[in-house]
Amino acid sequence: MTAIVSPTPLGAELEAPLLAVEAALKQLGDALARRDAAAIEQHAAELHQHLARAVQSFSEAARSGSVPAALRNRLVRAGGLLAAQRETLARGNASLDRALDVLIPSEPTGLYGAGGKAERRSFGGGSFTA
């Protein structure tokens, strides 16, 4: 026989910001899948706001009492999903940067060569001897 645990006031108080984070993560994931830049920007901003509220709520709850394990686990899963989405964006950025470097090579600065050693320009093509 399993006991039914009724939601505590603390749990109910934390549920709303966590649901908002989970919904924003889903919307952001959908926008990423569609490659919709405007929606990605909008949902990322919303997610940032919801995360700030959730972190504040969970921090206050942790100081005043214990956070229910189920809600803590959901917050951890949401953090994992956020990390996965961040990694996906980072890989996409790196891929785009490589493609742009191939299409539009950067100008050499003349300060350092590929091996990390200083490049020296020699005027006249030769070396000087004393």
Side-chain angles (χ1 to χ4, degrees):
M1 178 175 174
T2 57
I4 298 174
V5 178
S6 63
T8 63
L10 179 62
E13 187 178 300
L14 297 175
E15 182 75 21
L18 186 55
L19 282 172
V21 167
E22 291 169 338
L25 278 169
K26 181 172 179 358
Q27 291 173 331
L28 180 59
D30 292 344
L32 287 168
R34 290 189 319 268
R35 296 181 181 189
D36 182 349
I40 291 169
E41 186 72 26
Q42 175 190 349
H43 295 307
E46 291 170 1
L47 176 60
H48 181 73
Q49 292 171 349
H50 293 307
L51 275 171
R53 280 190 218 112
V55 167
Q56 181 180 4
S57 297
F58 273 77
S59 295
E60 289 172 6
R63 281 192 297 271
S64 65
S66 66
V67 175
L71 291 176
R72 189 176 331 113
N73 290 338
R74 283 175 52 199
L75 185 62
V76 168
R77 279 194 303 272
L81 181 57
L82 178 62
Q85 288 179 349
R86 186 178 291 149
E87 179 65 24
T88 299
L89 282 173
R91 286 182 181 171
N93 263 352
S95 178
L96 179 61
D97 286 345
R98 285 190 301 273
L100 286 173
D101 284 343
V102 168
L103 295 172
I104 308 168
S106 61
E107 292 291 321
T109 62
L111 298 176
Y112 294 97
K117 296 183 179 178
E119 290 181 349
R120 295 182 186 202
R121 296 182 183 175
S122 84
F123 298 103
S127 61
F128 297 104
T129 55

